[in-house]
Short mmCIF file of all heavy atoms in Angstrom, two decimals:
data_model
loop_
_atom_site.label_atom_id
_atom_site.label_comp_id
_atom_site.label_asym_id
_atom_site.label_seq_id
_atom_site.Cartn_x
_atom_site.Cartn_y
_atom_site.Cartn_z
N GLU E 1 0.72 5.38 -7.00
CA GLU E 1 0.16 4.41 -7.97
C GLU E 1 0.87 4.59 -9.21
O GLU E 1 0.28 4.54 -10.26
CB GLU E 1 -1.26 4.53 -7.95
CG GLU E 1 -1.95 4.17 -6.66
CD GLU E 1 -3.44 4.20 -6.75
OE1 GLU E 1 -4.01 4.77 -7.67
OE2 GLU E 1 -4.19 3.64 -5.81
N GLY E 2 2.13 4.93 -9.21
CA GLY E 2 3.00 5.02 -10.53
C GLY E 2 2.90 6.33 -11.18
O GLY E 2 3.32 6.43 -12.23
N LYS E 3 2.13 7.30 -10.60
CA LYS E 3 1.92 8.48 -11.26
C LYS E 3 2.31 9.65 -10.30
O LYS E 3 2.21 9.54 -9.21
CB LYS E 3 0.50 8.63 -11.80
CG LYS E 3 0.11 7.52 -12.61
CD LYS E 3 -1.25 7.75 -13.24
CE LYS E 3 -1.43 6.62 -14.33
NZ LYS E 3 -2.76 6.62 -14.81
N PRO E 4 2.73 10.82 -11.02
CA PRO E 4 3.12 11.95 -10.19
C PRO E 4 1.94 12.56 -9.41
O PRO E 4 0.83 12.61 -9.92
CB PRO E 4 3.58 12.98 -11.25
CG PRO E 4 3.87 12.23 -12.47
CD PRO E 4 2.99 11.01 -12.41
N TYR E 5 2.22 12.89 -8.11
CA TYR E 5 1.19 13.46 -7.17
C TYR E 5 1.83 14.68 -6.59
O TYR E 5 3.04 14.54 -6.12
CB TYR E 5 0.85 12.45 -6.16
CG TYR E 5 -0.56 12.63 -5.57
CD1 TYR E 5 -1.65 11.74 -5.80
CD2 TYR E 5 -0.87 13.86 -4.74
CE1 TYR E 5 -2.87 12.01 -5.26
CE2 TYR E 5 -2.08 14.07 -4.28
CZ TYR E 5 -3.08 13.12 -4.48
OH TYR E 5 -4.41 13.28 -4.00
N GLN E 6 1.09 15.74 -6.61
CA GLN E 6 1.63 17.02 -5.84
C GLN E 6 0.52 17.42 -4.91
O GLN E 6 -0.74 17.61 -5.18
CB GLN E 6 1.99 18.00 -6.80
CG GLN E 6 2.63 19.30 -6.31
CD GLN E 6 3.15 20.17 -7.28
OE1 GLN E 6 3.45 19.84 -8.41
NE2 GLN E 6 3.55 21.45 -6.94
N GLN E 7 0.94 17.88 -3.64
CA GLN E 7 0.03 18.43 -2.61
C GLN E 7 0.75 19.80 -2.14
O GLN E 7 1.91 19.84 -1.97
CB GLN E 7 -0.03 17.45 -1.44
CG GLN E 7 -0.56 16.23 -1.62
CD GLN E 7 -0.68 15.27 -0.35
OE1 GLN E 7 0.44 15.26 0.29
NE2 GLN E 7 -1.69 14.76 -0.20
N VAL E 8 -0.17 20.56 -1.71
CA VAL E 8 0.21 21.69 -0.76
C VAL E 8 -0.58 21.41 0.54
O VAL E 8 -1.61 21.26 0.60
CB VAL E 8 -0.27 23.05 -1.33
CG1 VAL E 8 0.02 24.16 -0.32
CG2 VAL E 8 0.41 23.39 -2.71
N ILE E 9 0.32 21.32 1.59
CA ILE E 9 -0.13 20.80 2.99
C ILE E 9 -0.13 21.99 3.89
O ILE E 9 1.10 22.50 4.05
CB ILE E 9 0.58 19.57 3.37
CG1 ILE E 9 0.51 18.45 2.37
CG2 ILE E 9 0.01 19.09 4.74
CD1 ILE E 9 1.52 17.32 2.85
N PHE E 10 -1.02 22.33 4.52
CA PHE E 10 -1.10 23.29 5.68
C PHE E 10 -1.03 22.39 6.98
O PHE E 10 -2.07 21.53 7.24
CB PHE E 10 -2.34 24.18 5.64
CG PHE E 10 -2.45 25.11 4.48
CD1 PHE E 10 -2.94 24.50 3.22
CD2 PHE E 10 -1.85 26.27 4.42
CE1 PHE E 10 -3.06 25.45 2.07
CE2 PHE E 10 -1.87 27.13 3.33
CZ PHE E 10 -2.39 26.67 2.15
N VAL E 11 -0.03 22.61 7.73
CA VAL E 11 0.06 22.00 9.21
C VAL E 11 -0.10 23.01 10.24
O VAL E 11 0.66 23.86 10.36
CB VAL E 11 1.49 21.33 9.22
CG1 VAL E 11 1.60 20.40 10.55
CG2 VAL E 11 1.85 20.45 8.07
N TYR E 12 -1.19 22.72 11.09
CA TYR E 12 -1.46 23.55 12.23
C TYR E 12 -1.25 22.82 13.42
O TYR E 12 -1.31 21.62 13.63
CB TYR E 12 -2.95 23.88 12.19
CG TYR E 12 -3.33 24.77 11.13
CD1 TYR E 12 -3.77 24.34 9.94
CD2 TYR E 12 -3.17 26.17 11.28
CE1 TYR E 12 -4.15 25.23 8.82
CE2 TYR E 12 -3.64 27.03 10.29
CZ TYR E 12 -4.10 26.66 9.02
OH TYR E 12 -4.50 27.42 8.02
N GLU E 13 -0.99 23.60 14.49
CA GLU E 13 -1.05 23.08 15.91
C GLU E 13 -2.56 23.12 16.31
O GLU E 13 -3.23 24.00 15.81
CB GLU E 13 -0.17 23.83 16.90
CG GLU E 13 -0.74 25.24 17.18
CD GLU E 13 0.11 26.02 18.25
OE1 GLU E 13 0.71 25.38 19.16
OE2 GLU E 13 0.16 27.28 18.18
N VAL E 14 -2.93 21.96 16.99
CA VAL E 14 -4.35 21.89 17.41
C VAL E 14 -4.40 21.50 18.75
O VAL E 14 -3.52 21.00 19.38
CB VAL E 14 -5.20 20.85 16.57
CG1 VAL E 14 -5.24 21.32 15.03
CG2 VAL E 14 -4.62 19.41 16.52
N PHE E 15 -5.53 21.84 19.42
CA PHE E 15 -5.77 21.66 20.89
C PHE E 15 -7.04 20.97 21.15
O PHE E 15 -8.00 21.18 20.41
CB PHE E 15 -5.64 22.94 21.64
CG PHE E 15 -4.44 23.86 21.37
CD1 PHE E 15 -4.50 24.74 20.38
CD2 PHE E 15 -3.32 23.50 22.04
CE1 PHE E 15 -3.44 25.48 20.19
CE2 PHE E 15 -2.17 24.28 21.69
CZ PHE E 15 -2.26 25.25 20.80
N ALA E 16 -7.09 20.18 22.17
CA ALA E 16 -8.31 19.45 22.60
C ALA E 16 -8.27 19.49 24.14
O ALA E 16 -7.22 19.90 24.75
CB ALA E 16 -8.39 18.05 22.06
N SER E 17 -9.35 18.89 24.81
CA SER E 17 -9.30 18.86 26.17
C SER E 17 -8.34 17.83 26.59
O SER E 17 -7.77 17.09 25.85
CB SER E 17 -10.59 18.38 26.64
OG SER E 17 -11.04 17.09 26.23
N ASP E 18 -7.90 17.94 27.95
CA ASP E 18 -6.72 16.96 28.48
C ASP E 18 -7.12 15.56 28.30
O ASP E 18 -8.29 15.18 28.46
CB ASP E 18 -6.53 17.35 29.95
CG ASP E 18 -5.87 18.73 30.13
OD1 ASP E 18 -5.18 19.14 29.18
OD2 ASP E 18 -5.99 19.18 31.28
N ASN E 19 -6.12 14.77 27.94
CA ASN E 19 -6.42 13.36 27.96
C ASN E 19 -7.39 12.79 27.00
O ASN E 19 -8.31 12.05 27.50
CB ASN E 19 -6.47 12.66 29.48
CG ASN E 19 -5.22 13.01 30.30
OD1 ASN E 19 -4.15 12.88 29.88
ND2 ASN E 19 -5.54 13.43 31.54
N VAL E 20 -7.38 13.30 26.02
CA VAL E 20 -8.31 12.93 24.81
C VAL E 20 -8.06 11.48 24.49
O VAL E 20 -6.95 11.04 24.28
CB VAL E 20 -8.44 13.87 23.64
CG1 VAL E 20 -8.96 15.15 24.16
CG2 VAL E 20 -7.17 13.92 22.91
N GLN E 21 -9.04 10.70 24.08
CA GLN E 21 -9.05 9.40 23.62
C GLN E 21 -9.82 9.44 22.27
O GLN E 21 -10.98 9.58 22.27
CB GLN E 21 -9.77 8.39 24.52
CG GLN E 21 -9.02 8.18 25.86
CD GLN E 21 -7.63 7.78 25.67
OE1 GLN E 21 -7.25 6.91 24.91
NE2 GLN E 21 -6.62 8.40 26.47
N PRO E 22 -9.12 9.05 21.20
CA PRO E 22 -9.72 9.10 19.84
C PRO E 22 -10.90 8.10 19.87
O PRO E 22 -10.74 6.99 20.35
CB PRO E 22 -8.69 8.75 18.98
CG PRO E 22 -7.42 8.62 19.72
CD PRO E 22 -7.71 8.69 21.24
N ASN E 23 -12.04 8.47 19.24
CA ASN E 23 -13.01 7.42 19.05
C ASN E 23 -12.72 6.79 17.79
O ASN E 23 -11.81 7.07 16.95
CB ASN E 23 -14.48 8.14 18.94
CG ASN E 23 -14.70 8.78 20.15
OD1 ASN E 23 -14.40 8.37 21.28
ND2 ASN E 23 -15.55 9.97 20.19
N ARG E 24 -13.50 5.71 17.47
CA ARG E 24 -13.35 5.08 16.15
C ARG E 24 -13.96 6.07 15.19
O ARG E 24 -15.13 6.17 15.06
CB ARG E 24 -14.19 3.77 16.18
CG ARG E 24 -13.82 2.86 15.16
CD ARG E 24 -12.87 1.75 15.83
NE ARG E 24 -12.40 0.65 14.92
CZ ARG E 24 -11.12 0.49 14.70
NH1 ARG E 24 -10.29 1.37 15.15
NH2 ARG E 24 -10.87 -0.59 14.03
N GLY E 25 -13.02 6.56 14.25
CA GLY E 25 -13.48 7.44 13.24
C GLY E 25 -13.32 6.66 11.85
O GLY E 25 -13.50 5.41 11.88
N GLU E 26 -13.09 7.37 10.78
CA GLU E 26 -13.07 6.84 9.49
C GLU E 26 -11.70 6.10 9.23
O GLU E 26 -11.49 5.24 8.32
CB GLU E 26 -13.10 7.96 8.42
CG GLU E 26 -14.49 8.68 8.41
CD GLU E 26 -14.56 9.73 7.31
OE1 GLU E 26 -13.61 10.02 6.79
OE2 GLU E 26 -15.66 10.21 7.15
N VAL E 27 -10.64 6.33 10.05
CA VAL E 27 -9.28 5.86 9.79
C VAL E 27 -8.71 5.20 11.23
O VAL E 27 -9.28 5.59 12.15
CB VAL E 27 -8.32 6.78 9.29
CG1 VAL E 27 -8.81 7.33 7.89
CG2 VAL E 27 -8.07 7.93 10.11
#
């Protein structure tokens, strides 16, 4: 939005049960 933005991002591997189907969440 025209202004400087800085993030520190931690990226993990994650696990769930086989063949998961995402539900309707917030996004």
